[in-house]
Amino acid sequence: MEGDSAGAYTLITPNETRRNQLQRIAKKEMENLERWKELHRAKPVNLVPRRLGGSQSEAEVRQKQQLQLMQSKYQQKLKREEAMRIKKEAEEAEIQKMKAIQREKSNKLEEKKRLQENLRRETFRHHQQHTTADFLSRLEMDLPHRRTHQIAPCDPQPSTWRLPTLPRDHSWARSQAYRDSLREEENRKLQKMKEEQHQKSELLELKRQQQEEERSKTQQAEHRRVNNAFLDRLQGRSDPGGLEYFGGNWNLNGGRGWDM
């Protein structure tokens, strides 16, 4: 490669051999491209002539399309209603779950209050019995001394009208019988309260089951009514010349039911 210097720049002469080689390569690639296009050119389409549209008329096809469109709209409406029903049932189930949780908390609180009240009564009963027993014991122990101090100064001689002193065994048996009677009375009251609480719980469970059955029957009846109404409307719409039941009256469709 030769170069000429002229002042501020240098001129480089091209290489003729390299240039010719590049031109031959480019020409060959263009020829290959044209050959490939020729081989992959789209061929003409040859079809046997035949009548299109099937055996149905245009009016029948349009009527069928109209029916399919209306059925698709009803299907979409039914899907929306079903989605709303499922959502409502989910919300109702969530509400019932929250109610059950709150009811359980309330029952636990009531049970806790009842146990605390029973414990308070039992403690008070034991304290009362203990206090009564101590009082009776002190009274039986102090009674002979009081009688001796009250009677001796007045009449030093023995008399026949003095009250006999009760033996200590008899007083202990009487106090024990009194405590036993109190304990039996408290046991009877506690058993009675347990029976009343059991009866209340059974009545509440029976009432809840009855409410659940009534709610299930009401939902089933409502679902049947909605489905029957939808099927009646769909059957009336699908028969252009038949009768249509709407709003409690039978009306002639007259072929105008296809208008949107």
Side-chain angles (χ1 to χ4, degrees):
M1 180 180 296
E2 298 178 356
D4 297 334
S5 177
Y9 62 91
T10 303
L11 178 62
I12 299 175
T13 59
N15 190 346
E16 292 294 335
T17 305
R18 180 66 176 169
R19 180 180 179 182
N20 294 333
Q21 184 180 1
L22 292 176
Q23 286 180 352
R24 285 195 303 271
I25 294 172
K27 184 178 180 181
K28 184 177 181 182
E29 290 179 353
M30 290 298 296
E31 290 176 355
N32 293 333
L33 178 61
E34 293 296 333
R35 191 181 303 107
W36 183 87
K37 288 182 178 180
E38 187 67 24
L39 291 176
H40 294 82
R41 180 176 300 176
K43 298 180 180 180
V45 179
N46 298 322
L47 296 176
V48 179
R50 60 188 180 89
R51 184 178 179 181
L52 302 178
S55 60
Q56 295 180 351
S57 63
E58 182 180 358
E60 293 177 350
V61 173
R62 291 188 180 278
Q63 185 177 0
K64 185 178 180 181
Q65 290 177 350
Q66 190 72 17
L67 179 60
Q68 292 177 354
L69 179 61
M70 293 183 64
Q71 289 179 352
S72 65
K73 288 184 178 180
Y74 278 116
Q75 290 294 334
Q76 292 177 1
K77 182 179 179 182
L78 184 61
K79 289 182 180 180
R80 288 196 300 268
E81 292 178 354
E82 185 70 15
M84 291 177 63
R85 183 185 63 81
I86 294 174
K87 182 179 179 181
K88 187 175 180 181
E89 289 181 354
E91 293 177 353
E92 185 68 21
E94 186 68 20
I95 292 174
Q96 292 296 331
K97 183 178 179 181
M98 294 176 64
K99 286 183 179 179
I101 294 174
Q102 294 298 327
R103 191 182 299 110
E104 185 178 359
K105 289 182 180 179
S106 177
N107 293 335
K108 288 183 179 179
L109 183 61
E110 291 294 332
E111 184 69 17
K112 184 178 179 180
K113 289 182 179 179
R114 188 179 64 82
L115 293 176
Q116 289 178 353
E117 183 66 19
N118 292 336
L119 181 62
R120 186 184 65 81
R121 290 181 180 181
E122 187 70 17
T123 304
F124 176 75
R125 185 178 64 83
H126 284 298
H127 178 71
Q128 186 179 13
Q129 290 179 358
H130 182 70
T131 304
T132 305
D134 291 342
F135 174 73
L136 291 175
S137 300
R138 288 196 304 269
L139 183 62
E140 293 296 334
M141 293 175 63
D142 295 341
L143 185 60
H145 298 287
R146 291 182 180 180
R147 287 178 179 175
T148 303
H149 289 299
Q150 290 177 0
I151 296 174
C154 297
D155 191 5
Q157 298 180 357
S159 60
T160 58
W161 55 269
R162 179 178 297 177
L163 294 174
T165 304
L166 294 175
R168 182 170 299 179
D169 294 339
H170 178 72
S171 63
W172 183 85
R174 187 176 61 183
S175 62
Q176 184 67 24
Y178 176 73
R179 288 194 294 268
D180 293 339
S181 63
L182 289 177
R183 187 179 297 106
E184 291 177 359
E185 183 67 23
E186 290 295 331
N187 291 332
R188 284 195 299 271
K189 290 182 180 179
L190 182 60
Q191 186 66 25
K192 184 177 179 181
M193 291 175 61
K194 289 181 179 180
E195 292 177 356
E196 292 178 353
Q197 187 67 21
H198 184 66
Q199 292 177 359
K200 288 181 181 179
S201 62
E202 289 181 352
L203 290 174
L204 288 175
E205 183 65 21
L206 180 60
K207 184 177 180 181
R208 187 187 64 80
Q209 292 179 359
Q210 291 177 355
Q211 291 178 354
E212 186 68 21
E213 291 178 357
E214 291 178 357
R215 187 174 67 85
S216 178
K217 290 180 180 179
T218 303
Q219 288 183 355
Q220 291 178 1
E222 182 66 19
H223 293 167
R224 285 195 298 268
R225 185 187 66 79
V226 173
N227 292 334
N228 291 333
F230 170 72
L231 292 175
D232 291 339
R233 291 195 304 269
L234 185 59
Q235 185 176 2
R237 293 288 186 179
S238 62
D239 189 4
L243 294 176
E244 179 182 2
Y245 184 77
F246 182 78
N249 298 321
W250 289 95
N251 300 325
L252 286 174
N253 198 352
R256 292 188 300 271
W258 304 107
D259 298 335
M260 297 302 293

